[in-house]
Amino acid sequence: MSSEKTLAIVIRVVEFSETSCVVTLFTLDFGKIGALAKGARRPKSPFESALDLLAVCRIVFLHKSSDALDLLTEAKLERRFRLVTRDLSCLYAGYYVAELLRDLTDTGDPHPELFDVADQTLIALQGAHDLFCVVLRFEMTALRLLGHAPALRGCAACGESIELSGRVPFGQMAGGLLCPRCRPGQRQVVSLTADAVRVLQQFATGSLESWQEVAVDAKIRGELRGLMNQYLCNLLDHRPRMHQYLGLLGHAPE
């Protein structure tokens, strides 16, 4: 076994025994890992209370070459997830980020850029940002980095350029917009307004700052929230648990 050091986001904590727990961590250098943290539940833990859900910490672990859990030996807290308001939607959105990191990524598959985006998203959720935009930006960036981004510039079936006017068909199973020629016979097709597609295109770019300048009205928020929920359900083959708690994301901020 080799000893490894890296920065990690705690995305799941499960009690293992009276004194220990099993943690799932999304790390900067090693991607998602599962590790046993012996003694983590003791009053005087060697992990200094660093293993709270959504906390960012520096860890040392023994990497197992087999399918067995890695062994976490050290964890030093860098930043805890703390809300500046009493709005539970921000907390639920943080849990949603953790859920997507668990379900969209494979164990031992590093994605440093996704780690950075997740870290930035957790910081934004603790500040005075538009919750809808923060979550949509994370979803679209994660999908792009992991190779699951929907086709928003051309037809998902044939690649033909699509004119954005009126309403545009979006194939959930096809993976994006559909041209009139490819639309027949496609399953799970929804109709999007051209304005909703333009908003998605803005959030789908690689720019880290442009999303903060996008104004999205309430009608488009509801339209896009419904689209993204269903798109991720089809991709994951199950409904994310946190979807039921994110209903307020479809409303414009006051």
Side-chain angles (χ1 to χ4, degrees):
M1 293 186 295
S2 59
S3 178
E4 308 287 1
K5 299 180 180 180
T6 189
L7 195 62
I9 299 172
V10 182
I11 58 176
R12 191 176 190 183
V13 181
V14 178
E15 295 180 2
F16 180 74
S17 67
E18 291 185 359
T19 60
S20 303
C21 62
V22 173
V23 293
T24 304
L25 306 163
F26 191 72
T27 72
L28 175 62
D29 301 296
F30 304 93
K32 182 175 66 179
I33 66 170
L36 176 63
K38 293 183 178 180
R41 302 182 62 210
R42 290 175 180 160
K44 294 184 179 180
S45 165
F47 304 107
E48 302 178 355
S49 301
L51 299 180
D52 289 341
L53 189 60
L54 303 179
V56 179
C57 51
R58 294 196 175 275
I59 65 168
V60 179
F61 68 101
L62 297 177
H63 186 52
K64 302 272 186 85
S65 57
S66 65
D67 292 334
L69 290 170
D70 294 328
L71 182 62
L72 193 65
T73 58
E74 294 180 36
K76 183 177 181 181
L77 182 66
E78 289 279 311
R79 188 181 68 253
R80 204 180 303 279
F81 186 81
R82 295 187 183 278
L83 298 179
V84 296
T85 71
R86 295 184 179 181
D87 184 2
L88 287 180
S89 295
C90 296
L91 180 62
Y92 296 149
Y95 291 163
Y96 180 52
V97 169
E99 184 175 12
L100 290 185
L101 289 175
R102 291 197 311 268
D103 292 352
L104 285 174
T105 62
D106 296 321
T107 300
D109 184 16
H111 289 279
E113 189 175 350
L114 179 57
F115 178 93
D116 290 339
V117 171
D119 189 28
Q120 294 161 9
T121 300
L122 293 177
I123 292 173
L125 290 175
Q126 298 171 78
H129 293 280
D130 185 340
L131 190 60
F132 172 88
C133 292
V134 173
V135 171
L136 182 59
R137 181 241 179 175
F138 176 74
E139 290 172 321
M140 294 301 294
T141 306
L143 290 173
R144 175 176 59 83
L145 294 175
L146 296 171
H148 302 301
L152 298 173
R153 301 287 178 179
C155 177
C158 70
E160 180 181 335
S161 178
I162 293 179
E163 180 182 355
L164 295 182
S165 62
R167 301 191 71 88
V168 185
F170 183 101
Q172 294 281 2
M173 303 298 291
L177 302 181
L178 294 167
C179 67
R181 184 176 56 188
C182 296
R183 164 62 182 88
Q186 295 285 347
R187 299 168 52 203
Q188 296 191 29
V189 177
V190 297
S191 178
L192 292 180
T193 61
D195 287 341
V197 176
R198 293 188 184 97
V199 170
L200 274 185
Q201 289 175 342
Q202 288 177 284
F203 279 86
T205 64
S207 171
L208 297 179
E209 302 299 334
S210 62
W211 65 275
Q212 300 184 39
E213 304 170 1
V214 181
V216 188
D217 65 37
K219 184 177 180 180
I220 291 179
R221 287 169 184 260
E223 186 177 1
L224 292 182
R225 193 66 259 148
L227 176 79
M228 293 304 299
N229 284 358
Q230 189 58 49
Y231 187 80
L232 283 159
C233 286
N234 284 326
L235 180 62
L236 297 171
D237 202 25
H238 69 267
R239 183 188 183 195
R241 295 177 61 185
M242 295 310 302
H243 273 181
Q244 61 182 312
Y245 298 105
L246 298 179
L248 292 178
L249 293 184
H251 300 285
E254 296 181 359

